[in-house]
Amino acid sequence: ENGSAAAIPIDPRFDIAYVTPVTIGTPPQTLYLDFDTGSSDLWVFSSHTPESQVRGQRIYSPEKSSTAKLLAGHTWSILYGDGSGSLGNVYTDNFTVGGVTVTSQAVQTAQQVSYSFTSQSEIHGLVGLGFSTLNTVFPNGQLTFFDNAKSTLDSPVFTADLKWKKEGTYDFGFIDETKYTGEITYLPVQTDPGYWTFTSSGYAVGDGAFHPASIVGIADTGTSLTYLPAEVVTSYWGQVDGAVDSDYYGGYVFPCSSKLPSFTFGVGPANITIPASYINYAQITEGSPVCFGGLQSSSWLGVNIWGDVALKAAFVVFNGANPPTIGWAKK
Ligand SMILES: COc1ccc(CN)cc1O
């Protein structure tokens, strides 16, 4: 059975993250979760999360679900690249998104969440769509929703059609030809250690020359911005009057009135162009004349991340066949 579900920006002003409605348990409990191709844990705010750490989030209460089963003796604990994290215990239950149901999905209930999760009331948990090797459940790692659902889908794929300041979609099991233009270019995926890792063939700043390069990075729907090698990002921001890499603000900032160039990245013989407007990410505070860039250096990260700023410029196919590949198309 195939499916389709909305990817809804959690903030109307800038695309911090996107959430997707899911139902868990019997009777169904609806939560809005952040679908994250950069991790592989499905965890939720729950009746086990201390009230002091819950600020408006919907919670999953396994004790109210007739189909919930404790996965005895199993725990989990995850730390994300931005320093946030969560931990807890594990149930299995019915899990449905966009009409696709997995009857015994591992649902990781949070017993602790870090402040940055507490402070984002619109995110009620995450659905990891990375490879299951990254799952943190101990002593037995659990399968992602996609790995569990794959065999029931027409095709072992899901697609991301994220949009700038608008609602997009995640499709499961099929490729919707109306969502892209031209051809889809498929690239090999390196599945070790478990991210959707691919190699971009280079970049161009605005209408400038294309620079062939091999940029190894991960496609990560759960990261807001795009983080690339210093020399790429320096050449981009070097074209923007008044742009500086600010220790104070933690990245490249620029005068909000500046005209930004677009950014093009290679995908095999093809390419994707990120419009300038996507890279004018946000004012550093409401009404400030200083804006924060959507393209930042990856030098402190140790990995290049194609986050939402890049992904929303494309239609992306996450092909879970053997071997997995990743497909990119303009739209
Ligand atoms: C604090 O919010 C988040 C932290 C980490 C991830 C995963 N990349 C997603 C989030 O929404």
Side-chain angles (χ1 to χ4, degrees):
E1 188 50 42
N2 297 335
S4 191
I8 306 157
I10 62 167
D11 188 309
R13 297 165 300 170
F14 35 87
D15 299 330
I16 310 174
Y18 299 85
V19 288
T20 297
V22 308
T23 62
I24 313 174
T26 312
Q29 301 177 37
T30 300
L31 275 70
Y32 285 76
L33 307 182
D34 181 351
F35 280 40
D36 178 17
T37 57
S39 67
S40 304
D41 282 36
L42 194 171
W43 72 264
V44 291
F45 276 77
S46 74
S47 50
H48 298 250
T49 314
E51 281 184 22
S52 61
Q53 296 178 19
V54 182
R55 192 172 300 168
Q57 290 85 357
R58 295 186 182 193
I59 63 168
Y60 164 60
S61 303
E63 68 280 0
K64 293 181 181 169
S65 169
S66 60
T67 40
K69 291 186 188 66
L70 177 69
L71 197 60
H74 287 73
T75 58
W76 60 279
S77 172
I78 193 162
L79 181 60
Y80 296 103
D82 65 353
S84 65
S86 49
L87 63 86
N89 44 24
V90 190
Y91 288 78
T92 57
D93 209 340
N94 299 348
F95 186 87
T96 299
V97 59
V100 178
T101 294
V102 169
T103 51
S104 183
Q105 174 65 45
V107 178
Q108 300 168 217
T109 45
Q111 292 175 298
Q112 295 289 323
V113 301
S114 64
Y115 179 71
S116 56
F117 283 114
T118 297
S119 66
Q120 286 185 335
S121 55
E122 308 82 358
I123 298 179
H124 310 152
L126 267 63
V127 175
L129 293 172
F131 293 89
S132 294
T133 44
L134 289 178
N135 182 264
T136 75
V137 173
F138 178 84
N140 305 312
Q142 300 300 302
L143 295 179
T144 64
F145 162 74
F146 178 54
D147 271 353
N148 283 322
K150 220 183 264 188
S151 56
T152 68
L153 302 174
D154 286 357
S155 177
V157 303
F158 67 91
T159 66
D161 179 18
L162 300 179
K163 296 187 180 200
W164 183 59
K165 302 188 183 181
K166 274 196 300 201
E167 181 177 309
T169 49
Y170 288 111
D171 291 338
F172 294 91
F174 69 104
I175 291 172
D176 182 344
E177 315 268 327
T178 68
K179 288 186 173 148
Y180 65 91
T181 59
E183 299 299 312
I184 301 174
T185 300
Y186 288 91
L187 302 175
V189 163
Q190 166 60 266
T191 59
D192 175 17
Y195 303 106
W196 290 87
T197 304
F198 71 98
T199 301
S200 165
S201 49
Y203 70 96
V205 176
D207 304 332
F210 184 81
H211 302 274
S214 288
I215 305 171
V216 177
I218 71 170
D220 185 357
T221 56
T223 290
S224 318
L225 309 185
T226 287
Y227 300 85
L228 296 176
E231 96 248 40
V232 173
V233 168
T234 308
S235 79
Y236 176 85
W237 291 110
Q239 300 297 314
V240 177
D241 288 342
V244 294
D245 189 358
S246 158
D247 289 342
Y248 181 79
Y249 291 117
Y252 281 93
V253 296
F254 60 95
C256 296
S257 54
S258 302
K259 184 162 170 35
L260 298 186
S262 61
F263 181 83
T264 296
F265 60 99
V267 285
N271 61 64
I272 299 292
T273 295
I274 307 172
S277 54
Y278 297 13
I279 301 171
N280 185 340
Y281 180 68
Q283 300 170 348
I284 37 121
T285 48
E286 196 66 43
S288 164
V290 180
C291 278
F292 199 77
L295 209 47
Q296 297 291 343
S297 172
S298 64
S299 50
W300 56 280
L301 273 174
V303 61
N304 297 308
I305 302 179
W306 302 93
D308 298 334
V309 161
L311 298 175
K312 68 183 113 167
F315 177 77
V316 191
V317 181
F318 294 84
N319 169 28
N322 193 0
T325 58
I326 185 166
W328 296 86
K330 297 176 188 286
K331 63 186 182 189

